[in-house]
Amino acid sequence: MPTDRTKIEKALFIAKKNLAGLVYDFQTLEGMPFTLPEVQTYLQGITVGGHKIEDEDKLKQQALAWKQLIVLVETNSFVFSKATACALQAIVAKDEALEIGRFRQGQVWIKGADYLPPDHETLDARFQALCERISALEDPFEQGGVAALDMARNQYFYDGNKRTGFLMMNGLFLTNGLLPFSVPSKHVLDYNIMVLEYYATGNERPMRRFFEEQYAAQYPGFHR
């Protein structure tokens, strides 16, 4: 059954209204130095002093990626696909990754983790399996959680994997009338500890439970 367009419009309204918060949480996840008021100021078109130019450039890309995702949903153009993931990664990881807009062509390592991401030659098949798994799930919240976790663990790109995964998660959320989600800055340490354990074990359940708890805390009383 198609999602009520009213629910989608509400989700988009919340995403636009809370854009600064979403961008702030993204940059906190990456260990960037901006405060929430600084992000709000930047999004108003005012230069924020006292920061490196490369940090401001990186902040700009986080904002552009969220704005592009919103446009895709607004125009009914969001599709969970390799092409969409590559397009969003090309924005969010611009000037960071060895290569942008395509799956990695070599091995990567995750700092602080013993886990070794899969060989690059298996990535197309892995992403196709992810698409099929998502198609088989009926709950869009579950779809989004699976997407974000799979993309983080398989490291499809040289950089920007977690952020791209969260963008794809939110594409699934918004197109199904769910409100936008990000890991709150005050819980980034919890997320980082848990995601290292997830890398090691591949067990999604604790992470998905964490997403459920954080979503419920952000939107008390919202029934998805």
Side-chain angles (χ1 to χ4, degrees):
M1 172 184 267
T3 303
D4 183 347
R5 187 66 197 180
T6 302
K7 291 183 179 180
I8 298 174
E9 294 295 342
K10 177 182 178 181
L12 286 167
F13 174 80
I14 296 297
K16 292 176 185 177
K17 190 173 182 63
N18 191 38
L19 181 62
L22 294 168
V23 173
Y24 172 68
D25 287 342
F26 252 37
Q27 64 96 35
T28 303
L29 195 64
E30 292 299 300
M32 292 171 63
F34 296 92
T35 64
L36 178 56
E38 286 176 330
V39 174
Q40 292 170 326
T41 300
Y42 180 82
L43 291 177
Q44 291 169 353
I46 303 171
T47 301
V48 179
H51 292 286
K52 296 178 182 178
I53 293 174
E54 54 263 38
D55 285 336
E56 285 206 0
D57 288 342
K58 189 173 179 179
L59 180 63
K60 173 185 175 182
Q61 295 310 123
Q62 315 313 300
L64 288 174
W66 265 107
K67 289 177 180 178
Q68 177 60 19
L69 177 65
I70 290 170
V71 168
L72 289 175
V73 177
E74 278 185 318
T75 57
N76 297 316
S77 302
F78 178 83
V79 178
F80 192 91
S81 66
K82 176 182 175 180
T84 301
C86 287
L88 290 172
Q89 187 269 350
I91 300 173
V92 83
K94 182 178 180 290
D95 298 326
E96 293 181 57
L98 177 63
E99 194 171 24
I100 60 171
R102 62 180 296 189
F103 285 179
R104 59 182 167 86
Q105 300 298 301
Q107 186 61 53
V108 293
W109 295 263
I110 300 175
K111 186 177 181 179
D114 293 329
Y115 164 74
L116 185 68
D119 186 273
H120 69 279
E121 293 183 352
T122 70
L123 295 178
D124 280 329
R126 289 175 182 274
F127 196 86
Q128 180 59 36
L130 172 61
C131 291
E132 292 171 1
R133 184 181 175 194
I134 287 173
S135 295
L137 295 171
E138 295 184 0
D139 180 1
F141 194 92
E142 187 177 1
Q143 290 177 337
V146 165
L149 293 174
D150 180 277
M151 294 187 71
R153 192 166 193 266
N154 282 320
Q155 296 281 299
Y156 292 97
F157 305 101
Y158 281 114
D159 206 342
N161 290 283
K162 286 184 291 189
R163 285 168 288 164
T164 304
F166 274 110
L167 288 166
M168 295 295 282
M169 167 197 261
N170 277 282
L172 291 166
F173 279 15
L174 295 173
T175 54
N176 284 281
L178 296 182
L179 304 184
F181 174 75
S182 59
V183 176
S185 58
K186 64 182 178 180
H187 290 294
V188 165
L189 177 59
D190 298 330
Y191 169 83
N192 286 334
I193 292 171
M194 293 181 70
V195 82
L196 285 177
E197 180 67 19
Y198 164 63
Y199 287 151
T201 66
N203 181 6
E204 295 176 348
R205 288 192 295 275
M207 289 298 301
R208 285 166 58 180
R209 188 162 53 249
F210 174 76
F211 290 158
E212 290 266 5
E213 291 169 354
Q214 295 304 315
Y215 189 91
Q218 288 181 42
Y219 304 115
F222 177 76
H223 299 290
R224 54 182 181 81

